[in-house]
Amino acid sequence: IGAVAMRLLTKLMSGQEIDDSKVVLPHEFVMRDTTK
């Protein structure tokens, strides 16, 4: 998350255009005993 945020921040600071307004990182939900 931090690396993606830093890339976006440096693009904004240097005046570059941001391609996407949303960033979706890979994720998954793992059902375990503590999530019941």
Side-chain angles (χ1 to χ4, degrees):
I1 295 172
V4 172
M6 197 62 206
R7 270 188 240 118
L8 289 172
L9 181 60
T10 52
K11 281 186 177 185
L12 284 172
M13 290 173 61
S14 65
Q16 294 180 13
E17 190 173 316
I18 305 297
D19 300 331
D20 299 320
S21 61
K22 283 188 176 183
V23 176
V24 178
L25 299 174
H27 61 281
E28 70 177 89
F29 180 78
V30 178
M31 185 69 131
R32 297 188 178 134
D33 290 335
T34 58
T35 56
K36 289 184 180 179

